[in-house]
Amino acid sequence: MNRYLLLILSFFLINCNGQEKKTKPLTNQKMDKNNLEYATLAGGCFWCVESCFHMLKGVDSVISGYSGGHKDNPTYEEVCTGTTGHAEVVQIAFDPKVISYKQLLEVFWFLHNPTTLNRQGNDIGTQYRSSIFYHSEKQKQEAEESLKESEAKQEWNGKYVTEIVPFEKFWSAEAYHQGYYNDNPTQPYCSAVVGPKIQKFKKHFGELGWLNEKVAN
């Protein structure tokens, strides 16, 4: 379903009832940009999650794009048809000495509903599926453990449908998608869905000390 056509969305916003707060604050040490690692995650519309991951300590960059499909150099319009096999993803470059991969996954579970198959709210289609594209065997193991832990704690009601698959290729989305919410906060989808989700994120992780000071409030 085309997100631009959605008129009434507020009741589909993320519901994080029952989520347990993590108490471990992130370190304040300076980021080492020479030893960055990568995480590639799909949790619905990339506009929704890109801005949030940008705010975390230890994250150097977040790029919206496409992964998991068979079409080379896909366009947004092609991905929206659901025929390319690609999911909307964000690729995160992070310093593991400041924020760990498993901590990024805690944010990932918070930001989307991993129990809905090929759907987030009114965004429906395989391009909106919940996926973790692991870059190493260590990431695969940590992703499997994190999923089991979150599901066991019933952070979301229901069985998780998140796929954990090896990373192959990442295609950057068009330039206008990068930082989309920051450039278009009053766009209807952004104001109805992305904005409220960001506020919940900032409140939760700001209280834990995981955000850069400039966005913690």
Side-chain angles (χ1 to χ4, degrees):
M1 183 178 293
N2 191 319
R3 68 192 68 168
Y4 296 103
L5 300 179
L6 305 180
L7 298 177
I8 303 175
L9 293 169
S10 58
F11 60 96
F12 284 111
L13 297 181
I14 189 169
N15 183 348
C16 294
N17 290 336
Q19 295 230 14
E20 294 183 4
K21 286 188 175 182
K22 309 297 188 282
T23 57
K24 183 179 179 181
L26 297 184
T27 175
N28 285 319
Q29 73 180 72
K30 187 176 180 180
M31 194 186 314
D32 181 2
K33 294 193 177 185
N34 293 319
N35 291 287
L36 298 176
E37 295 183 8
Y38 294 87
T40 304
L41 307 171
C45 170
F46 44 32
W47 299 346
C48 292
V49 295
E50 181 203 52
S51 294
C52 293
F53 279 110
H54 264 303
M55 299 178 191
L56 294 168
K57 294 176 183 176
V59 168
D60 180 63
S61 65
V62 186
I63 301 175
S64 291
Y66 317 110
S67 280
H70 53 78
K71 176 73 168 61
D72 289 349
N73 297 303
T75 66
Y76 177 66
E77 289 74 17
E78 290 172 333
V79 172
C80 283
T81 68
T83 62
T84 67
H86 287 295
E88 291 192 11
V89 304
V90 290
Q91 187 161 93
I92 305 158
F94 67 100
D95 182 352
K97 293 182 179 179
V98 180
I99 185 169
S100 70
Y101 183 67
K102 292 194 75 171
Q103 287 170 321
L104 290 176
L105 292 179
E106 290 180 22
V107 177
F108 174 68
W109 302 127
F110 185 92
L111 289 177
H112 83 296
N113 185 342
T115 71
T116 55
L117 184 63
N118 299 328
R119 177 174 185 167
Q120 289 298 309
N122 267 347
D123 291 331
I124 301 172
T126 56
Q127 66 271 31
Y128 300 115
R129 66 187 181 271
S130 175
S131 303
I132 298 172
F133 298 92
Y134 60 85
H135 290 249
S136 66
E137 286 301 310
K138 182 174 182 288
Q139 283 194 356
K140 177 184 179 182
Q141 181 180 350
E142 291 183 344
E144 291 172 342
E145 292 173 352
S146 181
L147 185 155
K148 290 178 181 178
E149 291 170 3
S150 180
E151 190 175 44
K153 292 175 182 177
Q154 297 184 330
E155 293 181 333
W156 292 91
N157 293 324
K159 183 174 178 58
Y160 285 22
V161 297
T162 305
E163 62 176 10
I164 299 174
V165 294
F167 171 79
E168 294 181 358
K169 291 183 179 180
F170 170 79
W171 305 97
S172 179
E174 294 82 348
Y176 74 90
H177 286 298
Q178 311 305 329
Y180 189 87
Y181 174 78
N182 290 337
D183 293 337
N184 304 275
T186 61
Q187 190 264 11
Y189 183 90
C190 288
S191 60
V193 177
V194 186
K197 182 176 289 192
I198 288 175
Q199 292 307 311
K200 290 182 180 180
F201 163 82
K202 289 172 67 174
K203 182 177 187 301
H204 184 88
F205 289 98
E207 290 175 353
L208 301 183
W210 287 30
L211 303 187
N212 289 315
E213 291 183 2
K214 62 182 181 181
V215 298
N217 298 314

